[in-house]
Amino acid sequence: MTAGSGAAADGSIFPDNPYHRLAWIIGEPTIGAGTWIGPFTLIDGSGGLSIGAGCDISAGVHIYTHSTARRCVTGRSVDTDRASVTIGDRTFIGANAVVLAGVRIGSGCIIGAGAVVTRDVDDATAVAGNPARLLGHVDPLTGRTVPATGTDRR
């Protein structure tokens, strides 16, 4: 960024980063090798963020490690809440999904487009919806989702 300009070297308003010129990455997240981050993403590392190797973070995804809700409604009398997010290896996060602070997403997961992830997701699990709910389990050999049964509690 040019000091005081608010623009990156290429003229965009987004800070320079090695993933995508239209991704907004703040803080100092740890991002594994081979991970792809699409345009119009918000990657908030201000509260601690670790994204594993070989992940795909699709266009428009927002990953938050902070919330200003309590600060706002108390007239700024409390600090911003921060909680780290961890995303395992080889996890796909679909377009416009939102991952909230304090969540752990395992390895080999599929997060559906538009999902709002409010709680932890186990390894090899597919979720979708608002809030994100279990769809099934991901077969690591085929990448296909095996539908959940009525006894699944993931």
Side-chain angles (χ1 to χ4, degrees):
M1 263 194 186
T2 304
S5 73
D10 67 358
S12 75
I13 61 168
F14 295 91
D16 289 330
N17 70 75
Y19 299 97
H20 197 286
R21 70 181 191 86
L22 296 177
W24 187 273
I25 301 175
I26 60 173
E28 295 184 15
T30 301
I31 301 172
T35 287
W36 178 82
I37 297 175
F40 311 113
T41 53
L42 185 146
I43 308 297
D44 168 18
S46 68
L49 173 60
S50 175
I51 300 174
C55 295
D56 282 353
I57 311 297
S58 299
V61 168
H62 287 198
I63 301 172
Y64 291 102
T65 62
H66 81 281
S67 171
T68 61
R70 288 184 341 112
R71 185 187 75 155
C72 180
V73 300
T74 61
R76 311 280 194 268
S77 68
V78 300
D79 290 333
T80 298
D81 292 319
R82 296 188 191 281
S84 65
V85 169
T86 301
I87 299 170
D89 297 332
R90 302 170 324 280
T91 287
F92 172 85
I93 302 181
N96 299 311
V98 176
V99 178
L100 297 181
V103 168
R104 180 199 168 277
I105 298 173
S107 293
C109 293
I110 297 174
I111 309 299
V116 177
V117 183
T118 62
R119 60 185 185 175
D120 292 354
V121 177
D122 291 337
D123 290 345
T125 299
V127 299
N130 180 2
R133 291 191 171 87
L134 176 68
L135 293 179
H137 310 289
V138 179
D139 181 325
L141 297 177
T142 66
R144 295 188 189 279
T145 299
V146 178
T149 65
T151 60
D152 275 325
R153 298 289 179 221
R154 279 191 189 182

